Amino acid sequence: MAARITVIGAGVIGLSCAVRLAEAGHAVDVMAREMPLETTSAVAGGLWQPFLAEPADLVAGWAQATYHALSRLAQEDETGVVLRPGYIVGLSERPTWADGLPVDLTYVNHPHPRHRGGWHLTVPMVDMTVYLPYLVARLQAAGGTLTRMPLSALPARGLVVNCTGLASRALAADPSVYPVRGQVLRMSNPGITEWWADDTDPDVLTYVLPHARHVVVGGTAQVNDFETTPDQALAAQILERAKELVPALERATVLAHRVGLRPARPAVRLETVRGAEGTTIHCYGHGGSGVTLSWGCADDVLAQVSALT
């Protein structure tokens, strides 16, 4: 039975849930303080790869479902999704998140002058500047709406899907949600066609993620740091590391500095809570894996709505 559903939050999780629900025939209204291109999701490099999300078994299932969904979207030009080859260097053991996926994960010797070995693989990569507007268009085509609506509390009545990420600290009264600050540079693309991620030091993130019109260069993972203003000294360090990894960045120019606060939590919360006058399905705490888990979580949210209606 079709229901009227309010989705709170317009990042990649909120929009993915809203699209799934609207295309299943539900009347969906998305309300958010920030429009999609203002959210943390808009800062993301868009590489499909689990990061800072638990529990491992559920994350694996959500990630696999999203991998397949994004691979299908990569066949459509207007989505901003492509299947892009790249390298993970500084990691000797095979990444366990690739188990069960049709990923051609190959260990290669000396893929880079500074690294003896690395893993070569092709995975979905999402240009968030294109993908988020695509999701909005898809939502509206299915009859859904998107409204800027700052909320001081979650609606108490009706069927609500809470996808507010870090804001769930207040809106869901959940202090277990905490920020992991990510700072990146958006640069022109001088012709880079493969992505690179250096996992040598787990405390230092270095990645170069090329898209058609720009390159996302990062990054940081600063726990419990709420600062959203870019740190120029830190940006210089990020760029220096990135140029060592991909020297072609010497020919690139900086287009913008961006900061996003990843909504981390000891475990992703995907849970239905019944109240006296309404029901809330919580879906937040995805850490650095919002893109990677989005469609898998949206499928589970739809399943929970179906069980209710």
Side-chain angles (χ1 to χ4, degrees), residues 7-309:
V7 176
I8 311 299
V12 70
I13 295 294
L15 290 178
S16 300
C17 289
V19 167
R20 273 288 187 265
L21 293 166
E23 291 182 348
H26 298 288
V28 179
D29 300 303
V30 179
M31 298 181 181
R33 179 185 62 193
E34 300 169 327
M35 290 294 96
L37 292 177
E38 301 165 1
T39 65
T40 292
S41 296
V43 181
L47 178 69
W48 180 95
Q49 189 177 132
F51 179 60
L52 291 176
E54 295 289 345
D57 55 342
L58 292 178
V59 165
W62 292 326
Q64 289 191 23
T66 305
Y67 176 94
H68 293 298
L70 291 176
S71 295
R72 291 190 293 271
L73 290 177
Q75 301 173 27
E76 304 175 31
D77 293 337
E78 72 274 16
T79 65
V81 184
V82 298
L83 293 174
R84 191 174 296 283
Y87 292 91
I88 303 173
V89 295
L91 184 68
S92 58
E93 297 182 358
R94 187 181 190 276
T96 57
W97 44 255
D99 295 342
L101 286 173
V103 176
D104 184 12
L105 188 64
T106 306
Y107 190 79
V108 294
N109 292 316
H110 297 288
H112 186 277
R114 296 181 59 247
H115 296 276
R116 294 183 178 178
W119 296 94
H120 183 264
L121 65 162
T122 298
V123 294
M125 182 175 285
V126 182
D127 181 344
M128 302 307 288
T129 67
V130 177
Y131 186 62
L132 293 172
Y134 160 78
L135 291 178
V136 172
R138 192 165 154 184
L139 168 67
Q140 293 172 338
T145 66
L146 171 62
T147 304
R148 186 187 295 274
M149 183 72 69
L151 299 174
S152 58
L154 295 175
R157 296 182 179 181
L159 182 51
V160 175
V161 180
N162 171 33
C163 303
T164 57
L166 187 61
S168 288
R169 281 174 62 91
L171 293 177
D174 186 351
S176 72
V177 189
Y178 61 94
V180 178
R181 182 180 184 272
Q183 180 168 325
V184 302
L185 297 86
R186 186 171 292 168
M187 305 186 69
S188 62
N189 190 341
I192 301 169
T193 58
E194 294 182 312
W195 57 267
W196 289 82
D198 187 346
D199 286 2
T200 303
D201 187 343
D203 296 323
V204 178
L205 299 183
T206 304
Y207 51 84
V208 177
L209 309 178
H211 298 283
R213 296 178 295 183
H214 64 271
V215 183
V216 177
V217 175
T220 63
Q222 297 164 291
V223 176
N224 284 320
D225 190 332
F226 287 85
E227 180 57 63
T228 57
T229 301
D231 181 323
Q232 294 302 316
L234 192 55
Q237 296 171 18
I238 293 170
L239 185 54
E240 181 181 359
R241 297 198 310 266
K243 286 180 177 179
E244 289 181 1
L245 187 62
V246 182
L249 287 173
E250 293 285 357
R251 304 192 305 273
T253 57
V254 176
L255 304 176
H257 296 271
R258 302 293 302 277
V259 173
L261 303 181
R262 305 177 183 93
R265 193 174 183 271
V268 174
R269 187 183 187 190
L270 208 165
E271 177 187 16
T272 297
V273 178
R274 295 175 181 266
E277 298 181 306
T279 298
T280 299
I281 299 175
H282 294 284
C283 185
Y284 63 86
H286 297 82
S289 300
V291 172
T292 303
L293 307 182
S294 55
W295 289 114
C297 287
D299 289 339
D300 277 11
V301 167
L302 175 59
Q304 295 198 20
V305 167
S306 299
L308 294 169
T309 59

